[in-house]
């Protein structure tokens, strides 16, 4: 059914990114760097990175093709947690330093089921101080934020910043089509 395709235009992407930047400013969150999820998060992440003048890295998390096609980025979770190097642990007698925590903005095109974004949370936590559940709660609240252009309101995952809302319960077979996915067909 073609009527259930929600085509997102490049203009909507621009205004969506502008809205996300507005929300970031209002929340007084200043990312040290942006993480764009391949492939859909790359264009909005690049735009936000240029606007905020902060570096950008990429992370490949994809469940669509095969189950194991994901990439773990331990250094990002270490950054978020403020983990200290072995030498520093000896000096400070602690395994991490809250003041060393980096603010990280993770960007994707859509929060649909929430599986991708939840995987990042689970992976980062499993790979860096998995025993520190309370400390990780603080990191997820204060240091790592999630931004998406399109947010499915019925997703189990809650994002921090988003601009376009859909609801899978109301329209279960809705397909969101981004301009970078089918630009040659327009």
């Amino acid at each position: 059914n073609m009527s259930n395709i929600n085509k997102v235009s490049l203009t909507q992407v621009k205004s969506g990114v502008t809205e996300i930047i507005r929300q970031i400013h209002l929340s007084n969150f200043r990312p040290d760097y942006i993480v764009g999820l391949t492939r859909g998060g790359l264009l909005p992440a690049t735009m936000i990175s240029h606007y905020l003048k902060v570096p950008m890295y990429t992370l490949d998390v994809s469940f669509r093709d095969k189950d194991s096609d994901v990439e773990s980025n331990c250094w990002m979770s270490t950054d978020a947690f403020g983990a200290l190097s072995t030498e520093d642990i000896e000096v400070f007698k602690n395994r991490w330093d809250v003041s060393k925590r980096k603010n990280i903005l993770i960007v994707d095109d859509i929060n649909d089921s929430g599986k991708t974004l939840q995987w990042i949370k689970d992976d980062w936590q499993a790979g860096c101080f998995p025993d520190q559940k309370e400390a990780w709660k603080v990191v997820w609240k204060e240091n790592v934020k999630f931004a998406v252009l399109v947010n499915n309101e019925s997703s189990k995952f809650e994002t921090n910043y988003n601009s376009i809302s859909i609801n899978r319960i109301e329209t279960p077979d809705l397909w969101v089509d981004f301009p970078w996915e089918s630009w040659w067909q327009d």
Side-chain angles (χ1 to χ4, degrees):
N1 182 353
M2 294 303 282
S3 65
N4 280 340
I5 294 180
N6 180 358
K7 278 186 89 63
V8 178
S9 69
L10 211 44
T11 307
Q12 282 174 300
V13 170
K14 285 179 192 169
S15 60
V17 166
T18 306
E19 173 55 25
I20 286 167
I21 290 165
R22 189 186 74 85
Q23 292 172 16
I24 291 167
H25 280 310
L26 285 175
S27 70
N28 291 320
F29 182 66
R30 177 73 187 164
D32 293 295
Y33 58 84
I34 312 284
V35 176
L37 302 190
T38 59
R39 289 176 302 181
L42 295 185
L43 191 59
T46 303
M47 292 163 79
I48 295 168
S49 161
H50 280 293
Y51 186 89
L52 296 179
K53 296 180 176 59
V54 293
M56 175 188 148
Y57 303 97
T58 64
L59 189 54
D60 185 15
V61 185
S62 172
F63 301 99
R64 207 170 296 159
D65 310 317
K66 52 185 185 292
D67 282 338
S68 60
D69 190 23
V70 289
E71 162 193 10
S72 185
N73 275 54
C74 280
W75 63 273
M76 290 181 183
S77 57
T78 304
D79 268 1
F81 204 89
L84 295 172
S85 66
T86 320
E87 302 82 60
D88 285 342
I89 291 173
E90 287 166 26
V91 178
F92 296 106
K93 303 282 183 257
N94 202 345
R95 294 189 296 159
W96 70 84
D97 178 353
V98 174
S99 72
K100 284 190 170 18
R101 286 183 177 163
K102 294 260 194 289
N103 289 338
I104 303 171
L105 180 70
I106 297 173
V107 181
D108 207 358
D109 52 358
I110 186 169
N111 168 29
D112 204 344
S113 68
K115 187 179 175 184
T116 303
L117 302 178
Q118 189 58 52
W119 183 89
I120 295 171
K121 268 192 170 183
D122 296 343
D123 179 65
W124 285 19
Q125 221 164 303
C128 181
F129 302 118
D131 53 324
Q132 299 296 322
K133 291 195 171 40
E134 289 307 307
W136 268 111
K137 277 184 196 163
V138 175
V139 171
W140 295 127
K141 196 169 164 279
E142 294 175 9
N143 304 99
V144 183
K145 308 270 188 182
F146 294 85
V148 293
L149 282 172
V150 176
N151 186 52
N152 171 18
E153 289 167 6
S154 56
S155 167
K156 288 186 187 77
F157 192 94
E158 227 175 287
T159 59
N160 304 90
Y161 314 109
N162 57 74
S163 61
I164 301 166
S165 282
I166 60 167
N167 191 319
R168 284 263 179 246
I169 292 170
E170 292 164 15
T171 48
D173 55 350
L174 177 73
W175 180 255
V176 180
D177 184 48
F178 292 97
W180 48 83
E181 291 176 330
S182 58
W183 53 273
W184 62 91
Q185 292 164 349
D186 293 340

